[in-house]
Amino acid sequence: MKLVEINFDGIVGPSHNYAGLSAGNLASAKNAGAVSRPRAAALQGIEKMRANIALGLTQGFFLPHDRPDGAWLAAMGTEETTADPHILAASMSASAMWAANAATVSPAPDTHDGRCHLTPANLLTMAHRAHEWPGTLAQLKIAFASPVFAIHDPVPSPFGDEGAANHMRLCRHHDAPGVEVFVYGLPGGRFPARQHVEASKAVARLHGVSEALFVAQSDAAIAAGAFHNDVVAVANERVLFTHEHAFADKGRFYNDLKTALPEVEIVEVPADVVSLGDAITSYLFNAQLVTLPDGGMALILPSETRDNVRVWGWLQTLVAGNGPIRRLVPVDVRESMANGGGPACLRLRVVADPADVDERFLANNARLDLIAGVVRQHWPERIAPHDLGNPALIAKIRNARAALIEALNLPELSR
């Protein structure tokens, strides 16, 4: 088995819009009511995947979900022509593009049975996302059908699970046993704590994780708009890159982490240099921290980080030093950023042998050219929130997804 990290990016769906559905997500709220550009958003995501391939990374993708979600509307006793506007908007959400919320993944070296375990997130704290998991589960079962994988059902209600956005893995190298860090929120603050500790513990038990830490996110981070842990911290192999105020009890967490993985390197950004506000608005930590083929590490960052003098200045100091992170790779995902998700939100990390993955979900430049061609031909150019109930737009969105399914030879997803 040759285990490598595969980044599976969510293709931005043709219903991408700014309905402002996500409480606690400052970018989503700020841009509510704006006109979105689904075609541009999807092409930006494709270019990010292409850039990752150019860096020598292994890249995969997930497809957009069927929108509007007719089965969910039917369960609500309505349909697209009669649904209340906020219900219709929830059924049209393209938030499945944020694959970091698709599932929690425990690679084979971490689990008792030596299989890679995946549990789709139930996302139950947000109405527009709580109906995503059936579409996610369908794709996981196809992409990871090999017996080396174990696919679980979501954690049951009422325990909210947000997937890999609240989960980090640290290890000496990707194919070595690691320590898995499950980050949860405490209720009672200004914004909802989306990840419940009960859900985190359930996932760790279901996966048979050998080494797990359960860590509370700080109230200050959630209140500042860090609706997921990956807005204030990211990990890769032995490196934890984090804001000073990311965790409720960082001293205990750091000690426990050093005990479990003595090789760990903690790169902490001080609050007196980069405030929580700066970190969250620039999406500094919602970067892909990756290991390059030469062994060095790079941060794949949203281009917005360059717009903040304090953030970009600190990053220049970081890469000029002798630390493990030596390269910055800005990418343009502005359409996703405007709805509250940066480069790390768009991807799910799966450590596996690519030969065990259904090759239809693996990206190369030719396949990305194919996807881009479908997007240019079929994705809507613009969507305003008042357009969501337009039958012509709904037909265009459904036809666009059908064209992509046909192009990628995934008829199973048409059922």
Side-chain angles (χ1 to χ4, degrees):
M1 259 194 326
K2 182 183 179 183
L3 302 183
V4 300
E5 181 179 82
I6 311 170
N7 286 278
F8 287 85
D9 279 38
I11 298 170
V12 180
S15 68
H16 168 62
N17 70 90
Y18 298 138
L21 300 173
S22 188
N25 183 326
L26 301 185
S28 172
K30 176 183 176 182
N31 292 295
V35 175
S36 67
R37 299 188 300 150
R39 188 182 307 166
L43 293 174
Q44 287 172 359
I46 291 166
E47 288 308 305
K48 179 175 89 73
M49 288 191 269
R50 202 185 300 278
N52 284 356
I53 292 172
L55 290 172
L57 305 176
T58 306
Q59 183 69 52
F61 56 82
F62 295 128
L63 277 67
H65 291 191
D66 184 25
R67 292 293 179 264
D69 188 340
W72 183 71
L73 288 173
M76 295 284 290
T78 188
E79 57 185 18
E80 62 203 45
T81 58
T82 58
D84 291 337
H86 68 286
I87 296 297
L88 178 62
S91 79
M92 293 280 277
S93 170
S95 293
M97 66 187 187
W98 290 314
N101 299 119
T104 303
V105 183
S106 296
D110 297 356
T111 66
H112 295 316
D113 64 4
R115 292 190 294 169
C116 178
H117 288 250
L118 299 95
T119 294
N122 61 31
L123 299 167
L124 61 78
T125 60
M126 296 289 156
H128 68 292
R129 305 211 65 182
H131 58 97
E132 278 180 25
W133 70 262
T136 297
L137 183 60
Q139 294 196 52
L140 296 181
K141 286 183 173 180
I142 300 169
F144 307 112
S146 165
V148 305
F149 299 102
I151 311 296
H152 301 270
D153 288 333
V155 174
S157 174
F159 306 116
D161 178 27
E162 298 286 308
N166 275 45
H167 173 265
M168 299 182 291
R169 177 178 187 253
L170 292 109
C171 52
R172 292 190 304 279
H173 43 83
H174 288 309
D175 61 355
V179 54
E180 300 195 12
V181 180
F182 295 81
V183 183
Y184 61 91
L186 299 172
R190 174 186 174 197
F191 295 127
R194 301 188 186 186
Q195 183 72 33
H196 298 170
V197 66
E198 295 89 352
S200 295
K201 290 180 177 180
V203 171
R205 290 192 297 267
L206 289 166
H207 291 191
V209 173
S210 299
E211 189 81 55
L213 297 177
F214 302 95
V215 181
Q217 190 172 356
S218 76
D219 293 339
I222 296 174
F227 49 98
H228 292 133
N229 173 68
D230 65 3
V231 181
V232 286
V234 62
N236 178 59
E237 293 192 322
R238 70 188 187 282
V239 176
L240 172 65
F241 179 52
T242 180
H243 192 271
E244 179 183 357
H245 294 159
F247 305 105
D249 187 351
K250 72 172 185 178
R252 179 176 178 181
F253 169 42
Y254 291 176
N255 287 336
D256 290 346
L257 185 56
K258 290 172 184 176
T259 298
L261 186 72
E263 303 93 336
V264 68
E265 295 186 51
I266 299 172
V267 180
E268 184 182 87
V269 181
D272 62 356
V273 178
V274 175
S275 69
L276 272 173
D278 283 339
I280 291 167
T281 56
S282 69
Y283 273 52
L284 164 61
F285 295 97
N286 198 248
Q288 292 179 244
L289 180 56
V290 299
T291 302
L292 301 173
D294 65 5
M297 290 193 190
L299 273 175
I300 301 171
L301 297 148
S303 55
E304 282 82 352
T305 54
R306 291 182 297 197
D307 300 336
N308 187 303
V309 174
R310 293 173 296 278
V311 170
W312 192 246
W314 192 88
L315 285 169
Q316 296 305 305
T317 302
L318 172 70
V319 296
N322 293 319
I325 303 171
R326 306 304 294 273
R327 184 173 176 184
L328 306 176
V329 184
V331 295
D332 180 8
V333 288
R334 289 184 183 274
E335 280 286 322
S336 170
M337 287 281 291
N339 220 2
C345 283
L346 288 166
R347 63 93 175 94
L348 180 71
R349 309 164 86 169
V350 180
V351 172
D353 183 342
D356 291 325
V357 178
D358 189 313
E359 64 91 21
R360 293 174 293 177
F361 290 87
L362 295 176
N364 53 38
N365 282 318
R367 190 160 284 153
L368 292 179
D369 288 342
L370 177 66
I371 296 169
V374 173
V375 167
R376 290 191 181 96
Q377 183 176 355
H378 294 283
W379 260 232
E381 184 176 0
R382 297 160 64 86
I383 296 178
H386 65 262
D387 295 330
L388 293 181
N390 186 328
L393 174 65
I394 290 172
K396 186 176 183 67
I397 288 168
R398 286 194 165 132
N399 289 337
R401 181 175 181 270
L404 183 60
I405 287 171
E406 181 179 2
L408 294 173
N409 189 28
L410 279 163
E412 304 96 315
L413 294 178
S414 296
R415 298 169 190 162

